[in-house]
Amino acid sequence: MKIVIVGGVAGGATAAARLRRLSEDSEIIVLERGPDVSFANCGLPYYIGGVIEDREELLLHTPESLSQRYRLDVRVKSEALSIDTAGKTIRIRDIAGNREYTETFDKLLLSPGAFPVRPPIPGADNPLVRTLRNVSDTDALTELALKGGNAVVVGGGFIGIEMAESLCRRGIAVDLVEARPQILWNLDPEMAWPAQKRMEKNGVRVRLNETVSAITPQDNRLTVTTKSGLTLPASFVLLAIGVKPETSLAREAGIQIGVTGGIQVDEKMRTSSPDIYAVGDAVEVSHRVTGKPVLPYLAGPANRQARIAADSMMGRAEKYSGAITTAIVGIFGLQVASSGVTEKTLKAESIPYLKAYLHPLNHAGYYPGGSRLHMKILFTPKDGRILGIQAVGDEGADKRVDVIALAIRSGMTVNDLAEAELAYAPQFGSARDPVNQAGLVAGNILSGDMVPAYPDELAGLQAKGAIILDVRTKSEFRLGRIPNSLHIPIDDLRTRLGEVPKKGPVIVCCQVGLRGYVAARILVQSGYDARNLMGGFLTYESFGLEIAKGG
Ligand code: FAD
């Protein structure tokens, strides 16, 4: 069999290696437009920031080593120009040799990836305005970063954030401009809030709700202007406002493109054209939670799809069952991880859900060095099936999200999380791990043992006569509280119950939601309509609502 692969990085190189492992006899040609194959896209920001010191580390294979290991015909600086689907041929430009030629194929795999969006902003074509996709971009950005000065990073997604941190490591002053009202659009706003605070604490000036309208050159420097009139000087600009699937080759060949703009594939990663497969950032796949088409733009799905496409070509029955978009980003030591869907998406898709917030320690509190996790779990009201998880913290957010990602994939419920048996010693977790705690808190909501209240509904509840009862200590109360709260520390509550009015709902607030739950149970059993403010004051704070202090 003669197989041609377009794209020699994540999906393309993975598929080529798998194909060779399955078939020693096939002829496998890998076409890559750039000079490098199989490089570590995900490592590029860390080389620019100096964490990865040796450039060679980014190149997992050279064209020669890839070719030798798997006996592939690797052709770099070779661009696929067009496909004749009926005749099963592909037109190729040999960029270095400045010539064009045609290859036949029995099977074709498209893994052309996604390209960074360059908006039609005046001045965006200036050579000091860069994007980051490959090793050449990395070299250019490293050179700029080593000159010092200041930079404007446009876009608060993964790449923008990783680059903001990397540039700070090089001593560059960074303004991060984001058009939306939050960074990290893959999270709900209150979960992105700690990430933003961490960036600001480390000197990144985060400018939300600002859309770049022009980039003007001035004495070898730039001025970035936003629609609101903000002007930011910059030695250089990084545009990280998103990517789009590379679909022109497929589109022009008449291959079906999906509603999201990605190449449509079936569960064997086959396109609408027989014998043409596609994987990675260029394809749209089904989201396992919503069933809707998505473009994950993640290395994990690209790798799995590549293996499945190779297996399918070789007649194996493997199937890709969809993505749950599990992702993580590091922000100055903070782990920000998520899997499944967000509340924003559930609302937009009109999918019924319940939610819980919790802020457990990443390991037993008595063992030194514990740090707090901020977790939000979304689940179905009917049976508690897990729909999404978001976790933020200095340590341990990664493993909790990974465990819950597997639970989401397996269609498990919050009760399964409560019962999960996980590895425990005091330096690693708790006998009741945050994963168990997430399941228990969510389970209490499902069973009706706890009636939750949420920060964004407090004003409405207060207007209807609800009172906020703060059950924390005096010093916690003084440091910051919800305005107009009644203060009765939890240990005094039973003796001071008479001070709590019975006429409306009582919203109990503590620091993280645990004492609040205990207090709410006391109140409910004394005839009150008591609700627990989910995640307590820490969750309230993350909504950016008014805080009263002192007293
Ligand atoms: P790519 O790996 O981009 O490969 C596509 C290749 O196809 C390109 O080299 C391109 O030159 C070539 N090509 C395109 N068209 C043609 C043509 N017509 N002819 C010949 N060649 C062509 N994902 C994560 O999960 N975690 C991370 O931490 C992470 N970090 C990232 C950091 C950066 C800076 C970037 C850019 C991406 C990151 N990603 C991360 C995303 C991840 O790298 C991609 O999801 C993955 O590489 C997609 O694989 P792919 O094969 O579809 O595309």
Side-chain angles (χ1 to χ4, degrees):
M1 195 184 322
K2 180 173 176 183
I3 302 163
V4 175
I5 298 175
V6 177
V9 190
T14 303
R18 175 72 178 162
L19 282 165
R20 177 57 75 224
R21 287 197 295 273
L22 296 180
S23 164
E24 270 296 312
D25 303 329
S26 295
E27 182 185 353
I28 305 170
I29 301 172
V30 178
L31 303 174
E32 170 52 54
R33 185 168 51 200
D36 305 298
V37 287
S38 195
F39 60 84
N41 324 47
C42 312
L44 303 179
Y46 302 99
Y47 175 72
I48 297 169
V51 176
I52 298 172
E53 292 176 4
D54 185 355
R55 187 178 178 280
E56 296 298 304
E57 296 287 348
L58 297 174
L59 306 169
L60 308 177
H61 269 292
T62 62
E64 296 72 31
S65 70
L66 186 67
S67 175
Q68 196 178 6
R69 173 75 50 86
Y70 297 105
R71 202 163 49 77
L72 305 171
D73 181 351
V74 178
R75 304 181 191 173
V76 289
K77 298 185 186 166
S78 296
E79 182 176 26
L81 296 176
S82 59
I83 304 162
D84 174 355
T85 54
K88 291 174 80 170
T89 61
I90 183 161
R91 188 89 185 135
I92 301 160
R93 178 188 293 139
D94 168 5
I95 299 169
N98 198 21
R99 69 181 182 110
E100 285 184 18
Y101 61 98
T102 302
E103 277 291 351
T104 57
F105 61 83
D106 296 314
K107 306 263 185 209
L108 176 68
L109 175 74
L110 303 177
S111 188
F115 62 89
V117 174
R118 266 191 182 263
I121 303 170
D125 52 354
N126 189 296
L128 292 174
V129 180
R130 314 295 308 189
T131 55
L132 177 60
R133 180 181 185 185
N134 52 35
V135 181
S136 314
D137 299 333
T138 304
D139 290 337
L141 278 161
T142 307
E143 200 182 318
L144 288 168
L146 288 174
K147 284 185 189 159
N150 60 329
V152 171
V153 173
V154 187
F158 291 145
I159 294 179
I161 281 177
E162 288 178 352
M163 279 303 298
E165 176 173 350
S166 290
L167 295 174
C168 285
R169 279 183 181 276
R170 293 285 193 189
I172 306 269
V174 178
D175 284 281
L176 187 132
V177 178
E178 167 57 58
R180 289 170 163 147
Q182 67 168 93
I183 59 167
L184 290 171
W185 193 244
N186 65 311
L187 300 180
D188 288 319
E190 72 280 14
M191 299 306 290
W193 184 80
Q196 182 184 334
K197 293 287 144 209
R198 180 61 63 95
M199 296 196 84
E200 288 169 344
K201 197 173 159 204
N202 285 275
V204 178
R205 288 179 294 259
V206 180
R207 321 271 191 175
L208 300 178
N209 301 304
E210 293 285 358
T211 307
V212 175
S213 55
I215 303 172
T216 325
Q218 217 172 25
D219 305 330
N220 219 16
R221 284 176 59 77
L222 302 169
T223 301
V224 175
T225 310
T226 69
K227 278 188 183 158
S228 75
L230 187 71
T231 55
L232 302 167
S235 317
F236 63 96
V237 172
L238 174 74
L239 291 178
I241 58 172
V243 294
K244 281 201 171 147
E246 287 247 17
T247 51
S248 53
L249 197 58
R251 200 183 289 270
E252 282 159 24
I255 290 169
Q256 199 75 42
I257 304 296
V259 286
T260 60
I263 302 170
Q264 237 177 33
V265 286
D266 65 11
E267 50 196 4
K268 287 174 163 288
M269 307 312 298
R270 276 184 312 213
T271 68
S272 60
S273 179
D275 299 316
I276 302 183
Y277 295 70
V279 299
D281 286 358
V283 304
E284 80 172 22
V285 293
S286 147
H287 196 292
R288 282 176 70 99
V289 175
T290 63
K292 294 273 165 75
V294 282
L295 297 162
Y297 298 132
L298 292 164
N303 269 271
R304 275 182 289 287
Q305 292 160 13
R307 186 181 164 97
I308 286 165
D311 284 5
S312 307
M313 283 185 187
M314 290 295 159
R316 295 196 171 198
E318 305 304 317
K319 286 179 180 171
Y320 186 68
S321 55
I324 51 170
T325 57
T326 308
I328 185 164
V329 65
I331 304 175
F332 296 100
L334 192 70
Q335 303 174 355
V336 182
S338 64
S339 184
V341 285
T342 57
E343 186 174 0
K344 272 187 303 218
T345 307
L346 292 167
K347 273 189 183 150
E349 302 287 346
S350 303
I351 298 173
Y353 66 91
L354 291 172
K355 61 177 174 176
Y357 294 93
L358 63 160
H359 307 275
L361 290 174
N362 74 315
H363 64 59
Y366 60 81
Y367 189 88
S371 61
R372 207 165 275 293
L373 287 165
H374 306 282
M375 296 171 72
K376 175 177 184 178
I377 184 162
L378 297 143
F379 49 99
T380 57
K382 195 171 136 241
D383 54 7
R385 191 168 53 83
I386 310 156
L387 300 168
I389 177 72
Q390 297 163 57
V392 183
D394 284 325
E395 265 182 63
D398 54 349
K399 79 167 170 172
R400 274 57 188 226
V401 165
D402 279 346
V403 168
I404 298 176
L406 207 53
I408 295 174
R409 206 190 131 73
S410 310
M412 289 184 179
T413 69
V414 294
N415 295 328
D416 292 315
L417 295 186
E419 287 177 22
E421 189 181 317
L422 302 167
Y424 161 62
Q427 65 270 48
F428 302 115
S430 302
R432 193 184 276 178
D433 189 86
V435 169
N436 303 130
Q437 292 182 42
L440 288 164
V441 175
N444 285 339
I445 296 174
L446 260 188
S447 66
D449 279 351
M450 175 163 65
V451 182
Y454 301 97
D456 49 353
E457 60 183 25
L458 286 185
L461 285 168
Q462 278 178 299
K464 286 185 195 151
I467 63 144
I468 315 274
L469 173 64
D470 195 315
V471 295
R472 295 174 300 162
T473 62
K474 206 169 187 176
S475 56
E476 286 175 303
F477 185 75
R478 275 188 184 146
L479 271 176
R481 61 180 175 274
I482 302 169
N484 305 315
S485 302
L486 171 67
H487 181 227
I488 305 177
I490 175 125
D491 294 336
D492 300 343
L493 185 59
R494 287 185 182 90
T495 52
R496 292 174 58 188
L497 262 187
E499 294 173 37
V500 185
K502 235 178 190 167
K503 59 181 189 315
V506 180
I507 316 297
V508 188
C509 173
C510 69
Q511 191 66 7
V512 298
L514 196 57
R515 282 171 287 174
Y517 175 48
V518 177
R521 293 299 303 160
I522 295 172
L523 290 164
V524 165
Q525 291 177 67
S526 305
Y528 285 88
D529 169 7
R531 307 175 193 185
N532 186 20
L533 182 67
M534 275 281 86
F537 188 71
L538 279 187
T539 302
Y540 178 84
E541 241 186 339
S542 69
F543 275 73
L545 298 165
E546 192 189 344
I547 290 173
K549 287 186 178 168

